[in-house]
Amino acid sequence: MSAGEAILNLLFPPKCAFCGALMEEPADGLCPACRSSLPYPSGKGELRTVGGFPCAVALRYEAMVRQGVHALKFHDHPQRARVFARYLAQAAAEQFPGGFDTVTFVPVSLWRNYRRGYDQAQLLAEEAAKLWGVSAVPVLRKIRNNRPQSTVKTSAERRANVLDAYTVPHPELAKGRRFLLIDDVLTTGSTMAACARCLMDAGAESVVCAVLAGAEK
């Protein structure tokens, strides 16, 4: 560790990306308790289907994973995306080897991006893409500031809530590409499916999806 890093750690002690516990050794960004008990799906990754599109799920959305995602999305901890992206990238690489050539993400609205200061799915996509030596490409745009999906109860209501909420303003960016579409959490899959369909309607060759965490089916 350099002298500069030591001073930063003294002033801003490193915390676990998932539970937020202080750590003496930052290592991989996880405390020993979280490292030993992360809620992986069956095996190390799970493949689900959302609206006919395959989706790799890295972790179950429970316990410390939910805590970490909330910190990323609602409590101004964008740096945690760097740690989370490793798990997302691993799940995508295991499920879709050679299955995509372009990385993109499910965008938040301009209003929410302004209020939050960043787009959490974009951060995850950018960090995951770095691990493959490529760049994440912003292709989708959210054009309707609908209610947060977490506040909508039924699957039918969730599908209606994202209807016509997304578009591809520059179809030439989608035409002929095989996309990996990234988001933070998968619940019913309505948002991911709506975005994947937008990409296909804009001329994409194929779309596969990946999320950090998936709620119980």
Side-chain angles (χ1 to χ4, degrees), residues 54-55 61 86 99 103-104 115 117 141 144 175 191 206 212:
C55 183
Y61 188 53
R86 295 202 305 265
V103 179
T104 192
R115 288 289 300 273
R141 180 181 297 168
R144 183 164 61 82
K175 188 174 178 59
T191 299
S206 62
L212 172 65

Side-chain angles (χ1 to χ4, degrees), residues 3-83:
E5 289 173 328
I7 292 172
L8 282 175
N9 286 343
L10 182 63
L11 294 175
F12 306 101
K15 296 181 179 181
C16 174
F18 285 96
C19 72
L22 290 173
M23 299 186 299
E24 292 183 5
E25 297 292 335
D28 58 358
L30 273 71
C31 70
C34 286
R35 189 181 300 110
S36 65
S37 59
L38 281 178
Y40 290 102
S42 54
K44 279 204 172 182
E46 177 185 11
L47 191 64
R48 298 188 187 180
T49 301
V50 292
F53 299 93
C55 183
V57 177
L59 299 165
R60 294 197 303 271
Y61 188 53
E62 59 185 50
M64 74 286 288
V65 176
R66 181 184 288 107
Q67 188 174 345
V69 170
H70 282 201
L72 170 65
K73 292 175 69 170
F74 307 123
H75 301 296
D76 195 25
H77 288 286
Q79 73 282 359
R80 298 192 183 194
R82 185 175 297 111
V83 176

Side-chain angles (χ1 to χ4, degrees), residues 127-146:
E127 293 296 335
K130 285 178 186 177
L131 297 174
W132 297 312
V134 299
S135 298
V137 181
V139 179
L140 291 149
R141 180 181 297 168
K142 191 169 188 182
I143 56 176
R144 183 164 61 82
N145 190 32
N146 57 329

Side-chain angles (χ1 to χ4, degrees), residues 158-172:
R158 283 173 177 264
R159 288 192 295 271
N161 192 45
V162 295
L163 185 64
D164 298 325
Y166 299 91
T167 189
V168 176
H170 300 287
E172 67 274 11

Side-chain angles (χ1 to χ4, degrees), residues 202-215:
E205 179 179 323
S206 62
V207 180
V208 295
C209 312
V211 294
L212 172 65

